[in-house]
Amino acid sequence: MSIEFQQLVQPVACAGRAGFLGPKDAGFTEAFSSLLDAEGYLDGAAIARARRAAEVAGERFDLVLVKLGLISEADLCQVYAAYCGLRVMGEAEIPPRPVLADRLRHAFLRTNRILPIAHGNGRILIASADPFIDDVVRAVSYMLDLEVELALIVPAEIERALRTLYNDPAAEGSLEEAAVAVQAAGDGSEYDIERLRDIANEAPIIRLVNQVIARAVERGASDVHIEPGRDAVAIRYRVDGFLQQGRTVPTTSRAALTTRVKIMAKLDIAERRLPQDGRIKTVVRGVEIDIRVSTIPTAFGESVVLRILDRTRVELDFAKLGLGGTTEAGLRRLMSLPNGIVLVTGPTGSGKTTTLYTALKNLNRPELKLFTVEDPIEYQLPGINQVQVQPQIGFDFPVALRSILRQDPDIVMIGEIRDLETARIAIQAALTGHLVFSTLHTNSAIAAITRLIDIGLERYLLASTIAGVMAQRLVRKLCPSCSRPFDEFHRAQHPRELAVPSERSRPALSNRRVAVGCTACGNVGYLGRTTISELLIIDDELRHVVGRRSDDQRMMEQLARNAGFRSLYEDGLLKVEAGETSLEEVLRVTRAA
């Protein structure tokens, strides 16, 4: 154990600890503020705001930064490291088994937010989320009769380690406390509204809802499903497109849980017969999170879905979205056009809006005026005029678009073409010199042309305005920690292999890999998602076919292939060959395409 300890502790430079000021010292706020400014984490206005809030609340300046959402816990850990001269421990350095578990109980570790990493040669290495824990360091040193070396770790990593290493149910939160608050007089639905509001505003229920949201953000979930049943309320998380079972909540907590979410979303807690939609803005681990809330009545109570919109996880970069070099080059050519319509198609949740946001971010320049009309606005983009439609007051897509065209825009993004009227206004905008981006629900790029004709658009108008269509899907990426090459042993274990269509277009899959599953990916074998796409650029030959009176999708596809068109399936196979995803994933999302 001593060799492992030496390897871990040697890079930790503790020389800086003797000279820095702690939170109790008079000059701490000034010194810490200077470092934040110098390292570029915060500007002067944000620092001043945090200093005022810390003075009013009487709390530590560094902790207030996270509570206000000015800096994430991960970034604060890096600032601590620079300030104190300590090393930040990563996930790979967390031990596979508890260290000195018989002497350092997990209750003590959880309370003080520390994690023992290694020990040997009369010393122990402790990782902490807070470097200013001199009392805890002295207590550990006294209890173990060991010299304590301190390192830093992100709080989420400590909590994850406590759950994994110590099988710690308390790290998920104490559900019993929340249940007790509601079990006092039976089901919360029996209470009057004011009593139910009081229960929903009590600490146990607030803590329960906050834990559910924080867990969703930590998992990288896109949605949280709160589903009431006869015997319990199930909470499930959608991660990488698939639902995963979370915790269950007693039915006695159902009404209070739903009411708490409604209060946060500013919804009517007395209305339980009609669906409602709202929005929550909150801070999770120092990061501002937007949450879209949808409720609908079911047989056993209101079903609630929370859509998590974490701006820090969305990187508006074509390469990071997973677009191939050829597709990106073609899309950029379309973006450089002075006018025309560019469509992105695919099912719900396939990343269409993110692709359009990425295009707008790349086009956002001082000499251009950009407008979007959306339902709802998912992410706010600096420098772009974003309009939220409100159909309940008659402000729908057609009305919004007509008003936008009087605002002298250069580029317009329409959240979705849903009907003939919206499509006609998009055509009009393109004909009058605007570049228009929008989305459509079709299975393939070529099917988008047929769809627009079916809703009633004249062929000659479509042929003269449509510039290109990109269809896309999201596929899960193989976990880099556990994926393995597809070898003969796997073939022997799985003799009935999935059939592969279009063998003539299939490249040699010499680097094909398979999903296995490990603790890093939650034993599913996949971690994160990437995009597969097909881009149809409308050239003169295709315009001629689109403008004709007869549909001939086969001819359109052949002309597109002559110009270098590659299907969703073929693009997916390239990612299989690159080892990014599995063949099973590509087949799963392209069978309907």
Side-chain angles (χ1 to χ4, degrees):
M1 194 69 179
S2 60
I3 296 176
E4 181 181 348
F5 177 81
Q6 290 292 345
Q7 291 173 341
L8 286 170
V9 81
Q10 189 175 3
V12 180
C14 298
R17 289 184 56 80
F20 68 76
L21 298 171
K24 297 179 181 179
D25 298 320
F28 168 74
T29 300
E30 189 66 37
F32 205 75
S33 298
S34 299
L35 180 61
L36 288 166
D37 191 13
E39 295 289 331
Y41 284 98
L42 293 176
D43 57 23
I47 291 172
R49 174 188 168 197
R51 294 181 70 163
R52 288 194 299 269
E55 290 174 3
V56 171
E59 295 188 34
R60 277 172 48 179
F61 169 71
D62 52 323
L63 301 183
V64 167
L65 293 169
V66 174
K67 291 182 178 180
L68 292 178
L70 297 175
I71 189 170
S72 69
E73 288 184 338
D75 284 344
L76 182 62
C77 193
Q78 295 297 329
V79 179
Y80 280 152
Y83 183 75
C84 302
L86 296 176
R87 178 186 169 191
V88 178
M89 309 301 286
E91 181 182 357
E93 293 156 315
I94 294 176
R97 293 175 298 278
V99 175
L100 298 179
D102 57 331
R103 303 181 66 186
L104 290 173
R105 302 294 182 182
H106 71 264
F108 174 78
L109 302 177
R110 184 180 67 250
T111 301
N112 293 285
R113 302 176 79 194
I114 61 173
L115 183 71
I117 302 295
H119 77 98
N121 294 338
R123 293 186 292 170
I124 183 170
L125 177 62
I126 298 290
S128 170
D130 185 349
F132 311 112
I133 55 166
D134 292 340
D135 291 342
V136 176
V137 168
R138 283 193 292 269
V140 171
S141 179
Y142 178 78
M143 284 190 300
L144 304 179
D145 193 23
L146 294 173
E147 181 183 345
V148 176
E149 299 283 358
L150 189 65
L152 292 167
I153 191 170
V154 178
E157 294 292 348
I158 285 186
E159 294 172 12
R160 190 177 297 114
L162 288 174
R163 288 193 296 266
T164 305
L165 298 178
Y166 296 88
N167 191 25
D168 183 8
E172 283 283 349
S174 176
L175 185 57
E176 290 74 20
E177 288 182 281
V180 168
V182 186
Q183 285 174 343
D187 192 340
S189 62
E190 299 172 0
Y191 297 163
D192 59 60
I193 296 302
E194 289 306 315
R195 174 61 178 150
L196 188 58
R197 187 193 302 273
D198 290 341
I199 292 173
N201 284 325
E202 290 177 357
I205 289 294
I206 292 174
R207 188 159 50 248
L208 171 60
V209 173
N210 289 345
Q211 288 165 353
V212 168
I213 294 173
R215 189 75 179 114
V217 174
E218 289 173 11
R219 286 189 178 190
S222 60
D223 303 87
V224 181
H225 294 249
I226 302 174
E227 303 167 326
R230 183 186 301 276
D231 302 317
V233 179
I235 297 177
R236 299 195 289 169
Y237 303 93
R238 187 175 295 279
V239 181
D240 294 338
F242 282 76
L243 281 172
Q244 297 179 5
Q245 186 64 46
R247 69 203 304 171
T248 57
V249 178
T251 54
T252 49
S253 300
R254 173 185 54 77
L257 176 61
T258 304
T259 300
R260 178 61 196 165
V261 173
K262 284 185 169 184
I263 289 172
M264 295 174 70
K266 297 179 174 59
L267 300 179
D268 184 357
I269 65 173
E271 181 55 76
R272 304 176 190 172
R273 301 165 301 170
L274 295 173
Q276 295 188 67
D277 295 304
R279 196 156 192 161
I280 298 171
K281 283 193 173 184
T282 187
V283 175
V284 178
R285 299 200 178 282
V287 177
E288 286 190 356
I289 303 294
D290 286 341
I291 303 173
R292 294 211 314 258
V293 179
S294 172
T295 71
I296 191 169
T298 68
F300 299 106
E302 290 178 280
S303 172
V304 181
V305 175
L306 311 178
R307 168 63 58 88
I308 308 294
L309 302 173
D310 183 356
R311 284 186 289 260
T312 63
R313 294 179 55 238
V314 178
E315 298 185 89
L316 302 181
D317 180 90
F318 287 128
K320 291 180 179 177
L321 292 182
L323 296 186
T326 304
T327 302
E328 180 181 345
L331 190 55
R332 288 188 182 276
R333 285 201 304 273
L334 295 175
M335 290 162 52
S336 67
L337 296 174
N339 54 65
I341 298 176
V342 179
L343 297 174
V344 180
T345 77
T348 301
S350 60
K352 301 185 298 295
T353 302
T354 302
T355 298
L356 289 183
Y357 277 171
T358 304
L360 292 180
K361 179 185 175 185
N362 281 268
L363 289 168
N364 190 13
R365 300 189 298 272
E367 64 270 21
L368 295 176
K369 184 164 186 177
L370 284 71
F371 264 98
T372 75
V373 52
E374 306 171 64
D375 183 21
I377 296 171
E378 293 197 11
Y379 298 102
Q380 294 176 350
L381 303 175
I384 296 176
N385 302 280
Q386 296 176 265
V387 178
Q388 166 79 56
V389 300
Q390 301 184 58
Q392 66 272 17
I393 60 172
F395 188 57
D396 54 13
F397 275 104
V399 172
L401 281 169
R402 290 192 188 96
S403 299
I404 284 173
L405 293 179
R406 293 192 288 268
Q407 291 281 314
D408 188 29
D410 294 292
I411 298 171
V412 177
M413 187 198 98
I414 305 169
E416 181 184 347
I417 293 180
R418 299 177 177 175
D419 50 42
L420 178 59
E421 188 176 8
T422 304
R424 285 193 183 281
I425 298 174
I427 292 282
Q428 177 189 349
L431 289 172
T432 53
H434 302 87
L435 184 58
V436 179
F437 293 91
S438 190
T439 70
L440 202 62
H441 289 286
T442 61
N443 287 330
S444 67
I446 293 175
I449 306 296
T450 306
R451 168 67 176 153
L452 291 173
I453 294 172
D454 288 344
I455 67 174
L457 275 181
E458 293 82 355
R459 288 176 173 274
Y460 73 93
L461 289 176
L462 187 60
S464 61
T465 55
I466 196 81
V469 185
M470 189 175 85
Q472 68 178 62
R473 301 286 191 278
L474 293 178
V475 294
R476 293 180 295 173
K477 293 193 294 185
L478 288 165
C479 175
S481 300
C482 64
S483 68
R484 295 290 181 269
F486 182 87
D487 52 19
E488 294 302 325
F489 173 77
H490 185 83
R491 288 184 188 275
Q493 295 295 107
H494 301 80
R496 293 196 295 178
E497 191 63 36
L498 288 168
V500 181
S502 304
E503 286 289 341
R504 61 182 175 80
S505 62
R506 173 186 169 185
L509 299 177
S510 57
N511 294 322
R512 179 181 172 187
R513 300 179 72 84
V514 294
V516 177
C518 65
T519 55
C521 60
N523 292 314
V524 297
Y526 298 93
L527 194 61
R529 290 190 288 180
T530 188
T531 306
I532 62 173
S533 59
E534 60 183 31
L535 180 62
L536 178 68
I537 295 180
I538 309 298
D539 57 17
D540 291 340
E541 289 184 298
L542 280 171
R543 290 187 194 283
H544 178 70
V545 174
V546 171
R548 287 183 357 179
R549 289 289 176 183
S550 61
D551 282 331
D552 194 341
Q553 288 199 22
R554 189 170 298 177
M555 179 183 291
M556 290 177 62
E557 182 176 354
Q558 185 57 52
L559 290 173
R561 286 193 176 279
N562 293 341
F565 175 80
R566 187 172 62 220
S567 71
L568 280 167
Y569 168 70
E570 291 162 347
D571 190 51
L573 288 182
L574 293 178
K575 283 185 162 50
V576 173
E577 175 62 16
E580 293 183 47
T581 188
S582 68
L583 180 60
E584 291 77 10
E585 265 297 285
V586 172
L587 291 173
R588 179 182 66 83
V589 302
T590 60
R591 277 175 175 153

